[in-house]
Amino acid sequence: MTDAKMPTRSRENTRQRLLDAAMAVFAEVGLDAASVETICERAGFTRGAFYSNFASKDELFLELAARVASERVAAVQSRVGGLAAAGPDGFDESEISAILEQVLDVGADDRMGVLLMSEIRIRALRDPDVARAFLEQDAEMKRNVAQIITDISALKGIEFRVDAAQAAHLMLTVWETAAVRAVIQGVADESRGGEAALRAATGAHLAEVAHLILC
């Protein structure tokens, strides 16, 4: 049984290393300029290893984007679950915005995540296949955020001026716009505060939206 599991574990390790390398390369030079050779070199594998795991660079790119979104949602679902034990008191707008900021966060390296998601949007504008995959992922993300908003409302007895789906759409739109603008303005640069500065910039906008949609 142990021997049977080894190839699967090794394959998953290879895929993860390729995904990690690709994320760094995509963020550095963009999807179009990132070659399979560069990704393989960064990961320490051959082209054969790449194509035994991914049919194309686009397939890897889409899996990477899906994984980032899944990790974001899993993290905040865990946090929302912990609210049940805290009771209904002491839950205000700042906590709501903090929770929603967490689900919209792009992970350990915010700037890299913003660049990654911007790259997939650019490719989606040009490639119908990528566009379909992107729209499916986007719709799934909105459903997950809407469910989290519904959970917060049920756990804490909070009412919103709009339904959960509309709130999710507003939050995602505001976060994405604020994050991209902050990166363009250099807010996410290490010399200007890096990840913490970017989170503060997006968090301020999310707090404004939370205030507007709360009854």
Side-chain angles (χ1 to χ4, degrees), residues 18-36 38-39 42 50 56-62 64-65 112 115-116 119:
L18 286 166
L19 286 165
D20 291 343
M23 183 169 185
V25 174
F26 290 153
E28 289 170 6
V29 302
L31 177 61
D32 290 335
S35 66
V36 170
T38 302
I39 294 170
R42 182 72 64 91
F50 181 95
S56 66
K57 187 171 62 173
D58 281 345
E59 181 183 293
L60 180 152
F61 188 66
L62 290 169
L64 181 60
M112 185 179 292
L115 291 171
L116 173 67
E119 281 295 322

Side-chain angles (χ1 to χ4, degrees), residues 38-208:
T38 302
I39 294 170
C40 290
E41 182 179 349
R42 182 72 64 91
F45 294 116
T46 64
R47 285 173 59 92
F50 181 95
Y51 286 111
S52 68
N53 285 276
F54 301 100
S56 66
K57 187 171 62 173
D58 281 345
E59 181 183 293
L60 180 152
F61 188 66
L62 290 169
E63 180 170 329
L64 181 60
R67 183 168 297 192
V68 169
S70 177
E71 289 173 353
R72 281 153 46 186
V73 171
V76 82
Q77 284 175 335
S78 176
R79 180 171 177 179
V80 170
L83 293 175
D89 298 328
F91 195 77
D92 56 23
E93 294 174 18
S94 63
E95 190 171 357
I96 294 171
S97 61
I99 292 171
L100 293 174
E101 182 182 0
Q102 185 175 345
V103 75
L104 302 176
D105 193 3
V106 291
D109 187 337
D110 286 33
R111 183 177 183 277
M112 185 179 292
V114 172
L115 291 171
L116 173 67
M117 297 313 294
S118 295
E119 281 295 322
I120 195 171
R121 288 186 184 88
I122 291 171
R123 176 54 68 92
L125 288 170
R126 300 172 178 155
D127 187 325
D129 292 333
V130 176
R132 281 191 291 272
F134 170 76
L135 290 173
E136 289 175 2
Q137 290 179 9
D138 185 62
E140 179 65 19
M141 187 64 181
K142 287 178 179 175
R143 284 193 293 270
N144 283 322
V145 174
Q147 184 59 55
I148 288 165
I149 291 171
T150 299
D151 291 343
I152 291 172
S153 178
L155 284 169
K156 300 299 180 179
I158 296 170
E159 294 185 4
F160 294 90
R161 299 180 189 277
V162 296
D163 63 32
Q166 291 174 309
H169 177 75
L170 286 171
M171 285 289 180
L172 281 164
T173 301
V174 169
W175 180 87
E176 290 167 355
T177 302
V180 170
R181 182 175 292 277
V183 169
I184 292 173
Q185 292 174 332
V187 172
D189 295 347
E190 288 302 321
S191 62
R192 298 181 62 182
E195 179 182 345
L198 181 52
R199 286 184 175 180
T202 56
H205 289 287
L206 287 172
E208 291 175 0

